[in-house]
Amino acid sequence: MQNVIEIRGIIRNFQLGQETVYVLKGIDLDIARGEYVAIMGPSGSGKSTLMNLLGCLDTPTSGSYILNGNDVSKMTDNELADIRNKEIGFVFQTFNLLPRTTALDNVALPMVYAGISKKDRVVRAEEVLTDVGLSDRMDHKPNQLSGGQRQRVAVGRALVNKPSIILADEPTGNLDSKTSLEIMQLFDEIHAAGNTVILVTHEEEVADHAHRVIRLRDGMIESDVRNK
Ligand SMILES: Nc1ncnc2c1ncn2[C@@H]1O[C@H](COP(=O)(O)OP(=O)(O)OP(=O)(O)O)[C@@H](O)[C@H]1O
Ligand SMILES: [Mg+2]
């Protein structure tokens, strides 16, 4: 199977004044198209740092990252923004929706940057909101939606440009257990539709939805297990 992600020798340090903080200490990782992966590990082990690199929100100190055939480790900020918009759908723990903007316009926003016409944006956003179960909430603003509904909007926004991977950093971290299960059923459907899904979680029940579990410890991969 074709790899959508190929990472070799990724190191990420941060400079804090005189001090260097060593966070990722040499990560090698291949993820094939259509995989469903959970990333786990203790707080501070580097999960979000790794996700930000995978999502082209950050670049490594050294090492290589080939995303869908493109070497992104050496790209400029503008090139990264382009590839991010095209290849990546990112879902955050805190939803990160625009507060004064309807569900429809939040979902349509990535298509503005992709240069899609207003008419096509509305059609596609309505289609995606229907897919995530919000056909009756399109004109609601985030504060008129429940937490689970907000996360559905965020998932819709992540899917709208048909990215090659969906990344989610603790997508159920702010949700109760019933709503978490609903969001995970949505990720299951997204995976079943052929998407590559990578999510970070602290909860075993959430990780059980994935087919492969990667555990980080102290900036390195401690284990990588396929369970389905
Ligand atoms: N910009 C930064 N500057 C300095 N240190 C950083 C920076 N970003 C992250 N770190 C450090 O890197 C380490 C890993 O952080 P990261 O956010 O990746 O952890 P995590 O595994 O996602 O933890 P959590 O489960 O709590 O979300 C932490 O010790 C953190 O302090
Ligand atoms: Mg984190």
Side-chain angles (χ1 to χ4, degrees):
M1 218 190 299
Q2 192 197 339
N3 287 329
V4 66
I5 287 172
E6 287 184 7
I7 275 184
R8 292 292 175 274
I10 288 276
I11 289 176
R12 182 64 170 110
N13 306 330
F14 294 100
Q15 206 59 43
L16 269 186
Q18 299 292 315
E19 192 199 352
T20 305
V21 185
Y22 298 90
V23 177
L24 298 179
K25 300 174 180 169
I27 304 270
D28 297 325
L29 182 61
D30 287 342
I31 295 179
R33 185 168 302 287
E35 280 202 275
Y36 194 176
V37 181
I39 297 177
M40 303 191 78
S43 183
S45 57
K47 302 180 299 297
S48 294
T49 303
L50 178 60
M51 289 294 268
N52 290 342
L53 291 169
L54 293 178
C56 299
L57 296 166
D58 185 25
T59 44
T61 306
S62 62
S64 73
Y65 176 18
I66 313 287
L67 168 62
N68 216 12
N70 304 292
D71 186 349
V72 296
S73 34
K74 294 173 187 73
M75 283 188 177
T76 65
D77 286 352
N78 281 340
E79 290 170 326
L80 278 178
D82 271 356
I83 201 142
R84 194 160 64 225
N85 202 44
K86 203 165 119 233
E87 308 278 358
I88 309 281
F90 214 117
V91 177
F92 301 88
Q93 178 174 359
T94 51
F95 321 132
N96 291 17
L97 301 173
L98 294 180
R100 279 175 288 280
T101 306
T102 63
L104 189 86
D105 286 340
N106 265 290
V107 168
L109 191 62
M111 293 186 284
V112 175
Y113 305 123
I116 294 164
S117 76
K118 167 107 195 187
K119 186 162 152 282
D120 292 343
R121 292 201 299 264
V122 172
V123 171
R124 173 73 182 142
E126 286 176 350
E127 176 184 274
V128 170
L129 279 168
T130 304
D131 288 347
V132 299
L134 289 178
S135 55
D136 57 348
R137 291 291 184 276
M138 299 204 194
D139 295 326
H140 288 233
K141 294 179 182 153
N143 67 0
Q144 300 164 333
L145 296 167
S146 70
Q149 288 169 339
R150 286 179 208 184
Q151 196 58 302
R152 284 174 188 275
V153 175
V155 171
R157 180 183 57 187
L159 290 170
V160 80
N161 281 340
K162 303 188 174 154
S164 35
I165 45 175
I166 314 292
L167 298 171
D169 194 352
E170 301 195 45
T172 64
N174 278 8
L175 303 175
D176 62 50
S177 53
K178 178 171 169 285
T179 313
S180 293
L181 180 60
E182 288 167 8
I183 291 295
M184 288 315 298
Q185 286 165 340
L186 184 58
F187 279 110
D188 292 351
E189 287 168 23
I190 291 165
H191 170 253
N195 290 291
T196 310
V197 178
I198 305 169
L199 56 89
V200 169
T201 183
H202 282 283
E203 293 160 81
E204 298 291 341
E205 312 87 81
V206 170
D208 281 345
H209 287 255
H211 298 183
R212 175 178 175 191
V213 178
I214 294 168
R215 285 176 203 272
L216 292 190
R217 180 172 294 275
D218 200 16
M220 288 184 285
I221 294 180
E222 179 187 52
S223 65
D224 182 348
V225 177
R226 283 191 174 75
N227 52 14
K228 273 169 203 153

